[in-house]
Amino acid sequence: MNDTEYMGLALQLARNGCGHVNPNPMVGAVLVKDNRIIGQGYHERYGAPHAERNALACCTESPAGATLYVTLEPCCHYGKTPPCTEAVLKSGICRVVIGSHDPNPLVAGKGIELLRGQGIEIAEGVLKAECDRLNEVFFHFIGTGKPYVVMKYAMTMDGKTAAYTGASKWITGETARRRVHEDRGRYSAVMTGVGTVIADDPLLTCRMEGGRNPLRIICDTKLRTPHSSQIIATAHRIPTIIATACKDLQVHQPYIKAGCRILPVSQKDGYLDLKELMVKLGEEKVDSILLEGGGILNWSALQAGIVNKVQTYIAPKLLGGAAARSPVAGIGVPHPDDAFFLTNSIITCLGEDILVESEVQSNVHRNY
């Protein structure tokens, strides 16, 4: 095996931490000596030992003279765990192969510099694109302090998210819906609007065996979420935040009693100020959000500039209907040149459905 193949194995290991390490990055590590793997590990959960230390802990022989393959630059500072550079130096490892640089200001090249300064051979950028993609959430959060937002919706091939009657179950098939539940377990929070709660009464949970339920966030400007909804009924056991501009403490009380947390947010143009909401959530270490809103919330999120990625599930169906809902509502853009442009699209087939994942071009500024 070569450097690329060993790094590929480290990437596979890193993915095992998905949904459990937030707001930390997913990291995998493989130790190789004389062309034999002698240890491997990954960052398993937030606050637990990092991948490098886990790989060293399970070594089948002395790591002296070995090569360490790690998907992210080793940390060199004390946090919830001691610096990994310290463990690497003590182990006698003679070469370190790194996928991504760590953008954390506490690291940011210092780990590489420290190891190189102690005579360890460093190889950088092996499978860099793949390693960077693995931690797009972490890179965004550490750089901005705000959640990475993925806007997700399912639609038919004629762009409808529901029939003209409002019926929407189900647009996509089981394979696509399973993927949604996997992503609910991956991201820290799932967010929707009060309109969706009223129309669909969703649970917004991760219904995968061994899955982790995300924090649920309801955008409810006037605080009108039905007390009888599934969200409220399960708030005592599933963390739930209602973001609202309603200041009436008496109106808050039934929701608080049900187990919800009320998060005050200012209004802007009659709706919640989503930029302010992202700042507040970031301060609470919410690093990522799966936005499962309706057309109005989706438009507001795009207009506020908080959306980083769009997941479009497309079903091979046609519903028709001039009044049938579409994924993005609001006033819309005045001209095609003013569109929100999507880039770097990845297409995945999920049964008969198609998933298109695209990044939102961030260097476009609008004033409408």
Side-chain angles (χ1 to χ4, degrees):
M1 293 176 68
N2 55 32
D3 284 356
T4 300
E5 291 170 320
Y6 285 126
M7 187 62 75
L9 176 57
L11 271 167
Q12 290 179 33
L13 290 166
R15 293 187 183 102
N16 291 326
C18 182
H20 303 288
V21 300
N22 309 60
N24 279 354
M26 291 177 276
V27 185
V30 176
L31 277 164
V32 177
K33 187 174 183 179
D34 299 328
N35 297 315
R36 293 176 291 105
I37 295 174
I38 63 168
Q40 51 189 324
Y42 65 96
H43 185 31
E44 297 177 6
R45 65 182 185 281
Y46 180 67
H50 291 181
E52 300 93 324
R53 289 183 176 272
N54 283 334
L56 286 166
C58 73
C59 271
T60 56
E61 60 184 89
S62 170
T67 294
L68 170 66
Y69 294 86
V70 62
T71 55
L72 185 69
E73 176 183 358
C75 65
C76 56
H77 64 96
Y78 281 88
K80 287 188 174 293
T81 59
C84 291
T85 50
E86 180 182 279
V88 170
L89 291 171
K90 286 181 179 179
S91 71
I93 288 169
C94 67
R95 180 172 181 255
V96 177
V97 181
I98 295 167
S100 296
H101 286 190
D102 191 337
N104 186 336
L106 296 173
V107 185
K110 299 182 184 73
I112 292 173
E113 183 181 346
L114 190 154
L115 294 175
R116 188 172 274 148
Q118 294 296 313
I120 292 179
E121 180 186 345
I122 302 291
E124 304 173 51
V126 176
L127 291 184
K128 175 176 167 43
E130 292 85 346
C131 291
D132 286 354
R133 193 179 306 120
L134 175 74
N135 282 310
E136 60 188 2
V137 166
F138 172 72
F139 288 179
H140 174 82
F141 183 68
I142 203 71
T144 67
K146 300 172 187 175
Y148 184 89
V149 178
V150 179
M151 187 174 82
K152 164 257 156 184
Y153 54 82
M155 69 179 193
T156 58
M157 281 192 175
D158 56 343
K160 307 299 182 181
T161 59
Y164 76 90
T165 59
S168 60
K169 294 183 179 180
W170 295 102
I171 295 293
T172 54
E174 289 186 9
T175 303
R177 298 202 299 274
R178 187 180 308 116
R179 168 63 187 265
V180 172
H181 285 286
E182 290 173 358
D183 281 343
R184 285 181 182 175
R186 172 184 178 185
Y187 297 111
S188 294
V190 59
M191 185 167 82
T192 196
V194 63
T196 297
V197 176
I198 292 171
D200 300 335
D201 194 21
L203 262 174
L204 302 181
T205 53
C206 174
R207 294 189 283 280
M208 299 288 295
E209 186 176 351
R212 175 196 59 84
N213 283 327
L215 167 68
R216 301 180 302 189
I217 303 167
I218 310 302
C219 294
D220 187 353
T221 307
K222 298 179 180 179
L223 200 49
R224 55 194 182 95
T225 298
H227 296 134
S228 60
S229 65
Q230 293 191 91
I231 294 284
I232 304 305
T234 57
H236 269 305
R237 59 183 179 86
I238 303 171
T240 304
I241 288 177
I242 300 181
T244 184
C246 174
K247 298 179 180 180
D248 189 332
L249 299 183
Q250 287 189 329
V251 178
H252 292 186
Q253 286 308 308
Y255 297 102
I256 295 171
K257 186 176 180 180
C260 299
R261 182 178 154 212
I262 300 295
L263 182 62
V265 179
S266 302
Q267 277 195 73
K268 185 176 182 181
D269 300 325
Y271 296 100
L272 293 181
D273 185 334
L274 295 179
K275 287 185 177 180
E276 179 185 313
L277 176 58
M278 292 305 106
V279 171
K280 290 189 173 186
L281 293 172
E283 289 171 349
E284 299 190 12
K285 305 302 182 185
V286 177
D287 69 344
S288 52
I289 293 172
L290 185 62
L291 174 59
E292 297 191 41
I296 293 175
L297 181 57
N298 286 346
W299 168 252
S300 296
L302 286 167
Q303 197 175 31
I306 68 168
V307 181
N308 302 103
K309 177 184 282 190
V310 175
Q311 288 184 334
T312 304
Y313 290 84
I314 305 173
K317 302 174 182 177
L318 302 172
L319 291 178
R325 297 198 302 253
S326 61
V328 181
I331 190 172
V333 301
H335 191 275
D337 290 344
D338 299 314
F340 293 87
F341 288 92
L342 307 179
T343 62
N344 301 324
S345 295
I346 297 174
I347 299 173
T348 305
C349 291
L350 298 168
E352 294 186 348
D353 304 313
I354 297 169
L355 169 62
V356 182
E357 298 180 277
S358 309
E359 297 172 11
V360 179
Q361 189 171 312
S362 59
N363 60 344
V364 178
H365 302 281
R366 299 170 177 81
N367 296 312
Y368 47 80

